[in-house]
Amino acid sequence: AQYPECQEGVSIKGPVEFHLLEKNITEELEEEWTPLEREALIIGRRIKEFITNNYLVYDKKLNNYRPVTYADIVILLRSPKGTAETFLEQFRLMGIPVYAELGSGYFKATEIQVILSLLKVIDNPRQDIPLAGVLRSPIMGLSAEDLISIRLNCPQGDFYEAVVKTSQLEKDQLALKLKGFLQQLEKWRTLARQDDLANLIWTLYRETGYFDYVGAMPGGSQRQANLRALHDRARQYETTSFRGLFMFLRFLERMQENQSDLEAAKALSENENVVRIMSIHKSKGLEFPVVFVAGLGKEFNMLDTRQDVTLHKELGLGPVYIDAEKRIKYPTIAKLAIDNKIKFETLAEEMRILYVALTRAREKLILVGSVRDLKKKVEDWCQFINYPEIKIPDSQLVQARTYLDWIGPSLVRHSDNRRLCLITGMDHGEPNLKDNSTWYIEIYQEGIFLEHDTEVAVTREILEYIKEFRPVQVNPYLYDKISQRLDWHYPFEKLINKRAKVTVTEIKHKFQELVLKEEGIKHYRGFSKRPVFLQKNKGLSAQEKGSALHLVMQHIDLSREIIDEEYLESLLVNLENREILTKEQRQVINKYVIVDFFRSSIGKRLLKAQRVKREVPFSLALPAYEVYDDLEETEEKVLLQGVIDCLWFEDGGWILLDYKSDNVQPEGVDQFVRLYTGQINLYTRAVETIWKQRVLEKYLYLFSLGKEIKIN
C-alpha cells in the first residue's frame, strides 16, 4: 500500500519484524517461563515501545498521520483457546489493556480458583489441596515454610488435623494466625447453613478483603469482574430448584469434568482502546495498522492421521492391520494413502491460514515464534539456501511441522538473513534471491531471559512486599516520579462538592444570610416543599400561597382596561377547571390585593405597556467564585437558572418587577428590601447580559402592604 510521506514524528512503517525465541532454556527458567509466556512478554514490550514513543500510523478518516493507539494493534493466534489466556495474564501484569473473545478461561482465573478453594473448605475442611491453597493464598498469606511446619507438627492424618494441632501450640505466631482462621471458618460454615449462597460469597469478599486485594493487582478490574460474575452466578443458581453450597460446588465440578467452561467476565469491550487478540480465521477480511502473529512455532494438528482407522471423504476407509498371533499392528496401504492425503490437505489449509495472517497488516507486521534447539533448526532451514528457483521445493514444504518451517527457509534466502545464518557458524555466502522487502530479525537465545530483568518480575516482587506489608524497594531515580504521584492533588478539588447548576432561589439565600449576619440574626432555612397530604390536612404554607398568587398573576389578561373582583372570580374558576389551580390554591387567593395592585401606579404602567413578558426563564453562566465564597478566582463557570416575574419595555429599556407575597410589617420593609436586593440585581444582570438591553428601573411589589418599592 502507498502512504504519503510522514512530515513530523516517526512512522510505524518499516521492515517486517521476525522475533525467534529458543525453547530449550535452563530448567530453572523453564519453571518460571513457558515459551508462550516469553512470546507474550516480547510482544508486550514491543507494544509499549510503540505507545510510549508515539509512533505514527496513517488514519484514512483523518487523511493524516496520528499516534498509534492500543486499538490499532491486533495479535493473531492459530487457536486462541488455551493460549490467549497466557497473553491476557501477561499483558495485565504489564498494564496493557487487552481484549479477547473467549468461551473459556473462567475457572482457570487465579482469583476464581482461590475463592472456589475457600468455598470447598467451608463445605468440607478435610480437603487437603483446597485448604493448602487457601492458607497459601493472600487470604491467609502463609509461606511454603509455614505449610511445611504445619505438616511436621502432625505427619499423620489429613492436613486439617495438622492445622488444628498447630493452632493449639502456645506462644507461637503461626498458631495465633491459624486459631483466628479456624474461628472465622466456623462462622462462615454456620453462615453457609443458615443464609443463601450469594450472601455467603459476598460476605467472604468483604471479610477477607480479597475483592479489594485483586482490584489492586494488575488487571484488577477484570479480576473483580470475574468475582462479581461468580456472585451473580451463585444468585442465579439458587433461583432454580437446587440450593446450598454443596450442590453448587458439585455443579461446578461437573462442568469442569465435562471440559465445559464459562467465559470470563468482560471488564472491557472490543470497542474500547484495547489490544485485540483473535484467531487468524476470525481476522479474515479485516485489516489492522499493526499485526503481531504469535505462536508460529506451534506444531500442526495431525491427530487425524494417528488414529487406528482413518476416514476420507473421497478415498474412504483406511484401517490398520492387526496380527493377533504376533500381537502387532501396522498400517495398510489404504491407510498410508489416506494419511498422506490428509496430511497434504492439512498442510494446504495451514498454508492458506498463514497467508491470511501475513496479509492482515496495513503498516506493520511482526512475526513471533519459538523453536527448540535453535542452531539445528536454522541449519535445516539453510539446506536450500542456494536453491536456484524462487519457490522452495515441494519436498521441503511437505516436511513442515510448524509455520516457522515455511517462514525460516524463506528468510535464510533473503538478503537480510545475516543474523539468522550467523547462528550456524558457517558462511553461506550471499543469497542468490533478490527481493524488495526488508526484514528485521531478532534472535532470543538461551540464557538471556532472566525474570528479574523484566517489568513483570518487578510487579510480582512488589506484590509480594505489599502482601506482607513491607516497605517497597525502588530504584532511586524513581523517587521523583513516586513523590510527584503521591503528592499530587486534584487541581479542582474545591469544586468536587460544588453544584455546577444553581437556581436564583439558592443564591438568594446566600444574600439573605449575609444581610442577616450583618444584623446579628440567625437564619433558618426550612423545607422548600411539603407533600400533598400535609397541604390538605394543615392548609397551604406561606410559600405555597405565594406560588398560587404568582400563577394567577401569570394568567391575567393585561389587554383589559380594568381588573376587578368579578373578572378575577371568573378567571379563578377557569384556572381551576383547567386544572392549573387546585381547589386549595383557589381558596387562598386574595382577589382584593390583586385589584389593589392594578390600581397602583406600577400596575397601571403594566396595563399600558405594549411589550410585556411574564414568568421569564433564563440561564446565565457566572464565575464560580461569585456563587461560592470559599473559591478563589477561577475560570470555572456555574450555570444560574431562574424565573423573572414580570418585565415590560418602556422608554427604550426594560422595567423589572418582582412580586412578593410575604407578610411584611411596615417597620420591617427596609430589612426585607435588603434581603431581596441581591436577587433583583441578578435578574437585572441576566436581562442585560443575555438581551444586551438596559434595565431602566427595578421594583419590588409587596402584596401584604399594597406597596411598590424601587430598588436602586
Side-chain angles (χ1 to χ4, degrees):
Q2 299 297 321
Y3 294 97
E5 288 295 325
C6 183
Q7 302 297 327
E8 298 180 3
V10 180
S11 170
I12 207 165
K13 297 193 302 293
V16 178
E17 296 184 18
F18 181 60
H19 297 264
L20 187 61
L21 294 81
E22 187 173 22
K23 282 184 181 179
N24 55 332
I25 50 180
T26 62
E27 292 183 1
E28 179 183 353
L29 289 174
E30 198 164 5
E31 293 177 1
E32 296 292 338
W33 294 98
T34 65
L36 202 60
E37 286 176 333
R38 299 171 77 228
E39 290 185 26
L41 195 56
I42 291 291
I43 293 173
R45 284 177 171 177
R46 200 72 184 100
I47 290 173
K48 297 193 85 170
E49 287 177 14
F50 289 150
I51 299 296
T52 304
N53 297 329
N54 287 324
Y55 278 83
L56 302 179
V57 295
Y58 188 76
D59 194 316
K60 292 182 179 179
K61 294 180 180 178
L62 299 176
N63 199 26
N64 202 352
Y65 286 90
R66 60 164 175 79
V68 65
T69 64
Y70 290 116
D72 296 318
I73 302 171
V74 68
I75 298 169
L76 299 183
L77 298 170
R78 176 64 179 88
S79 176
K81 188 174 182 179
T83 56
E85 292 85 355
T86 301
F87 283 84
L88 291 171
E89 188 68 21
Q90 291 298 319
F91 282 9
R92 286 169 192 150
L93 287 172
M94 301 178 76
I96 299 173
V98 59
Y99 174 86
E101 197 169 291
L102 303 173
S104 62
Y106 185 73
F107 291 128
K108 292 182 180 180
T110 304
E111 59 277 3
I112 295 301
Q113 290 181 342
V114 170
I115 291 298
L116 288 181
S117 294
L118 181 55
L119 290 173
K120 290 176 182 178
V121 172
I122 292 171
D123 176 50
N124 177 11
R126 295 183 182 276
Q127 300 182 77
D128 289 0
I129 294 177
L131 179 58
V134 171
L135 295 177
R136 188 72 176 88
S137 74
I139 292 176
M140 276 298 291
L142 300 187
S143 64
E145 290 76 12
D146 291 332
L147 298 184
I148 294 171
S149 299
I150 293 171
R151 174 46 78 188
L152 291 176
N153 288 327
C154 182
Q156 303 299 323
D158 57 42
F159 199 68
Y160 178 71
E161 291 179 1
V163 170
V164 173
K165 186 172 182 179
T166 304
S167 68
Q168 296 171 350
L169 299 176
E170 295 183 1
K171 298 181 180 180
D172 187 271
Q173 192 68 27
L174 177 59
L176 292 176
K177 284 185 179 181
L178 294 177
K179 188 177 295 183
F181 170 72
L182 291 174
Q183 291 173 352
Q184 191 66 48
L185 179 61
E186 193 60 34
K187 288 172 56 180
W188 290 334
R189 298 194 72 198
T190 302
L191 182 63
R193 292 190 297 270
Q194 297 176 349
D195 209 340
D196 64 87
L197 180 59
N199 188 51
L200 169 66
I201 291 176
W202 198 257
T203 300
L204 295 178
Y205 293 169
R206 187 178 66 251
E207 293 185 354
T208 62
Y210 190 64
F211 186 84
D212 297 323
Y213 176 86
V214 300
M217 294 174 65
S221 59
Q222 175 66 55
R223 299 178 191 275
Q224 288 185 330
N226 284 341
L227 292 179
R228 282 194 297 269
L230 179 65
H231 173 262
D232 291 339
R233 283 158 181 163
R235 181 168 46 80
Q236 293 168 9
Y237 178 80
E238 291 213 324
T239 60
T240 65
S241 58
F242 299 100
R243 293 286 188 279
L245 176 59
F246 175 81
M247 296 296 292
F248 181 64
L249 291 174
R250 297 296 85 77
F251 165 70
L252 297 181
E253 285 178 4
R254 284 194 299 272
M255 287 190 65
Q256 295 179 70
E257 288 171 1
N258 296 331
Q259 297 184 340
S260 299
D261 202 350
L262 298 173
E263 185 173 356
K266 294 180 181 178
L268 291 172
S269 73
E270 60 179 343
N271 296 321
E272 297 187 48
N273 184 25
V274 294
V275 175
R276 288 162 181 75
I277 299 176
M278 64 173 62
S279 68
I280 300 175
H281 269 297
K282 193 171 182 180
S283 71
K284 194 171 183 179
L286 304 177
E287 286 185 338
F288 307 91
V290 183
V291 172
F292 289 85
V293 185
L296 293 173
K298 186 177 180 180
E299 291 193 2
F300 300 141
N301 183 1
M302 294 292 183
L303 287 178
D304 290 345
T305 64
R306 297 169 189 166
Q307 307 297 323
D308 285 345
V309 178
T310 53
L311 293 171
H312 191 270
K313 61 184 179 181
E314 295 176 355
L315 300 182
L317 187 70
V320 297
Y321 176 77
I322 298 176
D323 190 327
E325 292 183 1
K326 297 180 179 179
R327 302 181 66 84
I328 59 174
K329 65 179 181 180
Y330 49 86
T332 61
I333 295 178
K335 178 171 171 54
L336 291 174
I338 291 176
D339 288 350
N340 203 44
K341 183 70 171 177
I342 291 175
K343 178 183 177 182
F344 289 166
E345 290 177 350
T346 301
L347 290 176
E349 174 63 17
E350 293 296 341
M351 191 171 287
R352 285 190 290 269
I353 291 172
L354 178 61
Y355 172 78
V356 171
L358 298 181
T359 54
R360 297 308 96 199
R362 288 207 302 261
E363 297 180 56
K364 190 71 171 179
L365 175 64
I366 302 173
L367 309 178
V368 184
S370 303
V371 297
R372 192 174 298 279
D373 196 352
L374 182 60
K375 182 178 179 181
K376 183 177 184 305
K377 179 61 70 173
V378 176
E379 287 176 350
D380 291 341
W381 293 347
C382 290
Q383 291 179 18
F384 296 90
I385 192 170
N386 295 316
Y387 190 70
E389 302 293 332
I390 294 177
K391 292 183 179 180
I392 297 173
D394 292 345
S395 59
Q396 175 81 355
L397 294 179
V398 298
Q399 294 176 17
R401 301 174 65 183
T402 68
Y403 290 131
L404 289 179
D405 290 336
W406 288 329
I407 297 173
S410 301
L411 276 183
V412 295
R413 306 170 68 211
H414 193 273
S415 57
D416 293 333
N417 72 347
R418 182 59 54 189
R419 185 168 293 186
L420 262 179
C421 292
L422 284 176
I423 295 175
T424 64
M426 299 171 59
D427 185 8
H428 296 279
E430 290 295 324
N432 57 8
L433 270 182
K434 304 300 180 182
D435 189 83
N436 292 330
S437 65
T438 57
W439 288 73
Y440 171 78
I441 299 173
E442 187 69 56
I443 309 296
Y444 302 85
Q445 288 184 273
E446 179 183 5
I448 69 159
F449 235 79
L450 299 178
E451 184 181 3
H452 59 75
D453 291 336
T454 69
E455 296 179 30
V456 178
V458 173
T459 304
R460 289 174 175 169
E461 184 180 355
I462 288 175
L463 284 175
E464 288 297 323
Y465 276 92
I466 292 173
K467 184 176 68 176
E468 299 172 6
F469 296 99
R470 289 191 290 160
V472 176
Q473 303 296 323
V474 295
N475 294 328
Y477 73 88
L478 293 176
Y479 288 160
D480 291 340
K481 291 185 177 180
I482 293 173
S483 299
Q484 182 181 0
R485 293 192 178 188
L486 293 180
D487 296 338
W488 181 83
H489 292 282
Y490 181 52
F492 304 103
E493 189 173 359
K494 291 184 177 180
L495 297 173
I496 290 176
N497 297 318
K498 307 296 184 186
R499 296 176 58 183
K501 183 173 69 174
V502 296
T503 64
V504 171
T505 303
E506 293 169 331
I507 302 298
K508 172 186 70 178
H509 291 308
K510 170 190 170 184
F511 293 129
Q512 292 177 352
E513 288 170 2
L514 292 174
V515 172
L516 295 174
K517 188 175 181 181
E518 291 177 1
E519 300 181 4
I521 301 173
K522 188 175 181 180
H523 179 66
Y524 170 74
R525 188 186 305 174
F527 294 106
S528 60
K529 189 174 182 180
R530 298 181 303 154
V532 174
F533 73 90
L534 283 180
Q535 297 175 16
K536 291 181 178 179
N537 294 337
K538 297 185 178 180
L540 299 183
S541 66
Q543 184 178 0
E544 291 157 355
K545 292 177 183 178
S547 298
L549 182 58
H550 277 70
L551 203 56
V552 174
M553 292 294 293
Q554 181 183 358
H555 289 85
I556 290 176
D557 183 4
L558 298 179
S559 63
R560 297 176 61 89
E561 294 182 0
I562 299 176
I563 307 297
D564 54 16
E565 292 87 345
E566 183 180 352
Y567 164 71
L568 290 175
E569 182 61 31
S570 63
L571 175 63
L572 293 176
V573 172
N574 179 265
L575 293 177
E576 183 181 351
N577 291 337
R578 293 164 59 192
E579 297 184 352
I580 295 175
L581 282 180
T582 65
K583 182 178 180 181
E584 291 78 15
Q585 287 176 317
R586 176 193 166 188
Q587 291 173 350
V588 299
I589 298 297
N590 187 341
K591 299 187 290 292
Y592 301 103
V593 298
I594 299 177
V595 172
D596 290 342
F597 167 75
F598 284 102
R599 289 176 180 172
S600 67
S601 60
I602 195 72
K604 292 177 180 178
R605 290 173 65 183
L606 175 58
L607 289 173
K608 292 179 182 178
Q610 297 299 313
R611 292 172 59 189
V612 179
K613 295 181 180 293
R614 287 177 288 181
E615 299 298 321
V616 182
F618 68 87
S619 296
L620 178 66
L622 292 178
Y625 60 85
E626 290 190 21
V627 179
Y628 301 108
D629 297 330
D630 56 342
L631 294 182
E632 300 174 355
E633 289 197 17
T634 173
E635 295 182 358
E636 295 297 313
K637 301 289 185 182
V638 173
L639 185 65
L640 174 69
Q641 292 184 323
V643 179
I644 301 172
D645 290 345
C646 187
L647 286 166
W648 70 85
F649 202 75
E650 186 179 291
D651 296 335
W654 291 98
I655 310 299
L656 189 150
L657 175 62
D658 195 59
Y659 318 122
K660 295 299 176 187
S661 59
D662 306 58
N663 187 14
V664 183
Q665 300 300 320
E667 61 274 11
V669 171
D670 292 340
Q671 183 192 67
F672 185 84
V673 171
R674 289 199 301 275
L675 291 176
Y676 284 94
T677 299
Q679 178 183 354
I680 301 301
N681 289 336
L682 283 176
Y683 289 158
T684 303
R685 183 173 177 180
V687 173
E688 293 182 341
T689 302
I690 298 171
W691 288 349
K692 308 297 182 184
Q693 293 175 321
R694 288 187 59 199
V695 174
L696 302 179
E697 299 176 25
K698 302 169 285 184
Y699 291 93
L700 278 177
Y701 184 84
L702 307 181
F703 280 104
S704 62
L705 298 178
K707 183 177 181 179
E708 64 190 65
I709 301 168
K710 187 174 183 180
I711 306 296
N712 296 320

